[in-house]
Amino acid sequence: MNEFQQLVDKWLDGEATPAERDLLNTYLKRDPSQLQNFAEQVELNSLLRTRHDVNGKVVGALTQAAHRLGDLCPVTESTAWRRRSTLLLGACLGAILAVMLTVTGVWWVSDHANPGFVGEAVPPDANSDRLVHSGQEIAAVSELAPSVGRVSRTFNVLWPSETRRWSVEDQLHRQDVIELSAGKIELLFDSGAMVALTGPAVLEIHSAFLVSLRSGTATARVENPESGLFRVLTPRTEIVDLGTEFGVRVDPESQDAEVVVFDGSVNLVPISDADGTHAKSRRLLNGEAVRITKSGDFQRVVSVDSSAYSLSDGNFSEGLRRPLVISQVADDRRDSASPKFYRIFHGGLEEDARAFVDRYHEWNGISEEGMPYFLRGADYVATFNDDKHGSPVITVFLSQPATLYVFLDKRIPTPDWVLESFENTGLYIGLDEHFPEIETAPLGRGPGQSVDHHHLVWKRVVKSPGPVQLGTLNIPLELRGSMYGIAAQPLRQNIAIRKRGPASSNN
Amino acid sequence: MRSGFSNDDVELAATPSERMSSSELAAEWIKTQNRILAFICSLVNDFNEAEDLLQETAAKVFASVDRYDRSRLFLPWAIGIARHVVLDHRRRSSHDVHIFDHEIIDGLAEVFENVSDRSEFARQSLSKCLERVSPSVREVLRLRYEKNLTPTAIASQFGKPPGMVRMLLHRVRAQLRECIEQRFRAEGLQT
């Protein structure tokens, strides 16, 4: 790269010093033919900036000016005009906004739909009476503005009083705020992003690619990341989707944000401090979860209650069918540098249930008869298959008396802690392995399909709620095998009381 | 000699029949604001400062609407105002008051005043060309162009050398220019 281009790049990157600017000046003076070259590069640079104009400073420059100079619209020195100017202002600004809408409607769709959002068409200014007119225009613009998505599903939603009640197929627009006290609502954005919101929650829509989660829980899935980066703003951080499914929970009191990646990866960009300093962003991978606090710290979230995050399919419309059994999982190893989380699926153990947080493998019955009957509908924990060669000590917290199960790969020796405190049921559950990079190894659907390995089911009756410590697993590197699985069912006596009366002898 | 704005021009009020309506002015502004911003960015290498000056230019353009002679081209007139705004801002600025020499500023104004359909086509083409950019590169572009971070700041976020980010941005911009030029050629437009 020659020196002239280096100087141009420094200019474009905002890093040119006064001395380098003077040198660039000299180059341009010496060879005026380079003016066109420089101008073209600057124009592309400003187009890129305008395309990322999240604050609407460029598109909003016109209306900002109209507001700042309201009584100059139209401008005249005539006293008569001045007297009439207040009355005419509304029409004047209306005309401008109408042009904005006409001309920039295309702009909004073609450019600002991806990425970023345009700020308010006209910034509100409560100090000016004249803005009453423009306020009406804003409402008109908002009504006529192109939609950025639609409501696709709702489930048992309770709406706070005096807020909009959304229905399936309602169109979503910029600046729409969705507020729900309870239940779930699913939104489909034109960007391809799908967002499931679980109440109580408040979400504001800025564009098809950008929303703000003010409080509550949202799960987002982006099917086609190539079309643009979907982002969720929270008070503490900005989550940039890099092709994934992720959950966000914002505490309404502390404003801390919990971010959970279920698939793919996201980038976390901390919101700048008041002094403008930029904390470091962080990549969060599949199976990792952190809490971002006011101080900007990333704290590991050890276990994640899957039912708290309404995925856009599967359990969207399902509630918890009984009191949870596994309330929490912890281990003795990881810190925030390795923020992996155990995923708890309440009542979620069924055919094709995802087995590990860091793999796509699924649990299945080893034959068409399905998995052992006592496991169906159990709470289970998706562990980390990467831990198989040296797992931490895992602690499972049971919220009620339960039968605790572990599934051990039959290819590996049974650890002593299992032999000592668990009972062999003599039944197996199958593991259907899937490696996305190998097209010839697709997942099977249903029991007995494409099962690759068998795990022996061991059980332990735990009559008192509380923590239960499980031992480690150390599969020698020369052996093949998978990490163990964990599941729990309420003790049969609890079910019997509800459904059939006296407890069975099993308990 | 440039045919743009001068202080004398501002003082000459257009007759009512020549006066541009607010909606016409708004339409002209929106059509040309990218070029006006680009001109300002050629003189000021900080996006936030350039955008503030764009807004100030818009205000001045509106304030001068009754002085605009519609028989003249809008873009040179508006760029003349932008030039005045930038120079005035620099004079008032307490820090670095220097800018390019006047002949360079005039030369740049002349380039940007050159009205063509390229700007709008370039904007549309850019959208298409950006679709080819990988998510990770798009993230770097976002940090540079949305967050206004310098390559040094971006590099520190990724734990990479600043030179690597500078080179990445240089290459991406070059590829985007080439992509836009290809689309120009495909449409049979002059490049």
Side-chain angles (χ1 to χ4, degrees):
Chain A
M1 198 190 313
N2 61 37
E3 189 178 20
F4 173 72
Q5 186 57 50
Q6 284 179 8
L7 291 168
V8 172
D9 280 330
K10 287 228 170 185
W11 184 271
L12 301 180
D13 290 335
E15 291 189 322
T17 63
E20 287 166 337
R21 180 205 52 221
D22 291 345
L23 194 54
L24 183 58
N25 186 78
T26 304
Y27 267 101
L28 292 172
K29 249 173 128 171
R30 196 185 301 158
D31 183 4
S33 68
Q34 292 290 3
L35 280 173
Q36 181 77 32
N37 178 15
F38 177 57
E40 284 178 7
Q41 295 195 52
V42 170
E43 186 166 17
L44 173 65
N45 214 44
S46 64
L47 276 176
L48 282 163
R49 169 64 172 182
T50 305
R51 199 180 152 75
H52 293 78
D53 179 26
V54 291
N55 297 316
K57 284 180 76 176
V58 177
V59 175
L62 180 84
T63 45
Q64 285 270 12
H67 270 286
R68 284 171 57 187
L69 301 164
D71 56 356
L72 297 170
C73 179
V75 178
T76 176
E77 296 300 320
S78 153
T79 308
W81 266 103
R82 279 193 182 282
R83 277 200 296 270
R84 292 162 56 197
S85 63
T86 303
L87 293 173
L88 289 168
L89 178 76
C92 172
L93 287 176
I96 292 170
L97 285 163
V99 172
M100 286 289 289
L101 182 62
T102 307
V103 180
T104 63
V106 176
W107 172 280
W108 282 348
V109 172
S110 63
D111 270 11
H112 290 276
N114 170 30
F117 70 99
V118 180
E120 288 180 306
V122 180
D125 182 354
N127 297 324
S128 171
D129 293 335
R130 292 190 291 266
L131 299 186
V132 173
H133 299 286
S134 57
Q136 290 163 351
E137 292 297 335
I138 292 167
V141 168
S142 176
E143 286 297 314
L144 293 171
S147 74
V148 297
R150 64 185 173 84
V151 176
S152 50
R153 285 194 285 184
T154 63
F155 182 75
N156 285 350
V157 179
L158 287 177
W159 308 103
S161 58
E162 298 181 7
T163 60
R164 177 169 174 178
R165 292 163 177 254
W166 296 83
S167 303
V168 172
E169 293 304 321
D170 276 354
Q171 298 294 303
L172 304 170
H173 298 88
R174 289 179 173 79
Q175 300 174 34
D176 278 343
V177 175
I178 297 176
E179 189 170 356
L180 58 161
S181 301
K184 299 169 184 177
I185 185 169
E186 185 187 76
L187 314 173
L188 277 182
F189 289 92
D190 295 344
S191 57
M194 186 184 290
V195 173
L197 194 62
T198 304
V202 183
L203 182 92
E204 182 177 359
I205 295 165
H206 302 299
S207 77
F209 286 83
L210 181 68
V211 296
S212 286
L213 182 64
R214 295 181 190 167
S215 65
T217 305
T219 312
R221 174 187 293 168
V222 181
E223 298 292 350
N224 181 16
E226 293 304 315
S227 65
L229 299 174
F230 185 75
R231 292 175 291 143
V232 178
L233 285 171
T234 75
R236 299 266 182 266
T237 191
E238 176 181 351
I239 302 132
V240 183
D241 178 273
L242 301 175
T244 188
E245 180 173 303
F246 64 94
V248 196
R249 180 152 54 178
V250 174
D251 186 301
E253 301 297 325
S254 68
Q255 305 275 284
D256 290 353
E258 179 181 292
V259 182
V260 183
V261 180
F262 297 116
D263 198 3
S265 62
V266 301
N267 233 19
L268 300 181
V269 183
I271 303 296
S272 299
D273 297 337
D275 63 1
T277 57
H278 292 277
K280 279 193 173 182
S281 64
R282 174 172 188 158
R283 180 72 57 90
L284 210 58
L285 304 174
N286 176 21
E288 295 183 337
V290 293
R291 182 174 296 105
I292 301 104
T293 62
K294 186 178 181 183
S295 61
D297 292 339
F298 292 99
Q299 297 174 349
R300 180 191 174 201
V301 175
V302 182
S303 65
V304 170
D305 173 359
S306 195
S307 62
Y309 291 95
S310 297
L311 302 183
S312 304
D313 59 5
N315 70 349
F316 179 80
S317 59
E318 294 176 13
L320 197 56
R321 289 164 288 195
R322 53 162 170 71
L324 54 85
V325 184
I326 300 176
S327 60
Q328 199 180 334
V329 179
D331 66 29
D332 65 344
R333 180 181 297 171
R334 300 186 181 91
D335 56 21
S336 58
S338 175
K340 291 186 171 183
F341 66 88
Y342 296 94
R343 191 170 177 185
I344 305 169
F345 291 86
H346 290 307
L349 189 54
E350 54 192 22
E351 298 296 337
D352 303 319
R354 185 157 170 173
F356 302 111
V357 176
D358 56 351
R359 297 287 194 282
Y360 295 95
H361 308 344
E362 295 178 346
W363 295 121
N364 278 112
I366 59 173
S367 70
E368 290 185 355
E369 293 176 2
M371 64 177 61
Y373 71 94
F374 50 81
L375 291 180
R376 293 174 198 159
D379 286 10
Y380 82 98
V381 179
T383 54
F384 296 92
N385 200 25
D386 276 351
D387 283 344
K388 59 194 175 187
H389 296 301
S391 75
V393 173
I394 297 173
T395 303
V396 177
F397 292 82
L398 300 174
S399 61
Q400 59 176 298
T403 304
L404 184 64
Y405 300 95
V406 293
F407 318 145
L408 277 170
D409 194 321
K410 78 171 190 181
R411 295 171 290 177
I412 61 171
T414 306
D416 290 343
W417 61 269
V418 175
L419 292 170
E420 288 165 6
S421 56
F422 281 78
E423 178 187 342
N424 185 349
T425 66
L427 296 173
Y428 290 93
I429 187 170
L431 187 67
D432 180 2
E433 292 187 336
H434 175 57
F435 301 94
E437 61 276 19
I438 305 172
E439 291 182 359
T440 54
L443 285 166
R445 276 287 178 91
Q449 302 297 315
S450 172
V451 171
D452 298 289
H453 301 290
H454 293 185
H455 284 232
L456 186 56
V457 180
W458 296 73
K459 75 171 186 180
R460 173 179 171 183
V461 174
V462 182
K463 294 186 176 174
S464 303
V468 178
Q469 207 170 67
L470 306 178
T472 58
L473 187 68
N474 288 292
I475 303 176
L477 289 172
E478 65 273 17
L479 285 184
R480 300 182 70 85
S482 294
M483 179 62 181
Y484 63 84
I486 304 166
Q489 284 278 29
L491 273 180
R492 186 176 291 274
Q493 62 195 37
N494 297 345
I495 299 171
I497 289 168
R498 271 206 319 270
K499 294 185 175 176
R500 283 176 294 199
S504 74
S505 58
N506 190 32
N507 304 301
Chain B
M1 186 69 187
R2 292 187 327 106
S3 57
F5 164 92
S6 73
N7 286 335
D8 292 340
D9 296 329
V10 175
E11 299 306 322
L12 296 173
T15 62
S17 61
E18 294 166 332
R19 187 177 295 141
M20 188 180 244
S21 71
S22 299
S23 55
E24 286 174 318
L25 181 64
E28 287 290 346
W29 174 266
I30 290 164
K31 272 195 296 185
T32 55
Q33 66 181 357
N34 279 330
R35 288 227 124 188
I36 300 167
L37 177 64
F39 171 67
I40 295 172
C41 284
S42 73
L43 306 182
V44 176
N45 78 336
D46 177 81
F47 287 134
N48 288 329
E49 189 180 0
E51 284 158 0
D52 288 344
L53 293 172
L54 179 75
Q55 292 194 349
E56 202 171 321
T57 301
K60 285 248 178 352
V61 164
F62 272 81
S64 309
V65 66
D66 64 334
R67 297 187 177 101
Y68 173 65
D69 177 357
R70 63 192 307 167
S71 65
R72 297 172 53 190
L73 290 173
F74 177 82
L75 183 59
W77 179 69
I79 280 186
I81 292 178
R83 179 179 189 272
H84 180 76
V85 165
V86 173
L87 292 176
D88 192 46
H89 169 76
R90 283 291 159 139
R91 269 193 296 273
R92 284 186 279 113
S93 177
S94 58
H95 56 282
D96 179 24
V97 296
H98 296 290
I99 205 165
F100 291 134
D101 289 350
H102 280 275
E103 61 183 283
I104 301 296
I105 297 172
D106 289 349
L108 287 168
E110 204 165 335
V111 172
F112 285 110
E113 285 168 12
N114 184 17
V115 181
S116 77
D117 294 332
R118 278 185 60 112
S119 288
E120 178 56 21
F121 189 82
R123 189 177 66 78
Q124 292 171 7
S125 298
L126 179 61
S127 295
K128 292 289 178 193
C129 295
L130 280 170
E131 288 174 6
R132 301 186 195 172
V133 173
S134 70
S136 55
V137 172
R138 201 174 293 155
E139 174 65 357
V140 173
L141 289 175
R142 194 182 70 80
L143 292 172
R144 171 70 194 114
Y145 292 101
E146 183 186 312
K147 298 290 181 186
N148 198 20
L149 298 185
T150 61
T152 305
I154 296 169
S156 74
Q157 290 210 5
F158 286 98
K160 302 285 184 191
M164 186 182 288
V165 176
R166 286 192 195 101
M167 184 53 71
L168 175 72
L169 285 168
H170 168 78
R171 285 179 180 157
V172 172
R173 284 191 294 251
Q175 286 167 4
L176 288 172
R177 280 181 77 192
E178 177 57 28
C179 173
I180 291 169
E181 292 301 322
Q182 281 176 4
R183 295 180 68 86
F184 270 121
R185 287 194 287 271
E187 289 292 319
L189 299 175
Q190 280 193 328
T191 62

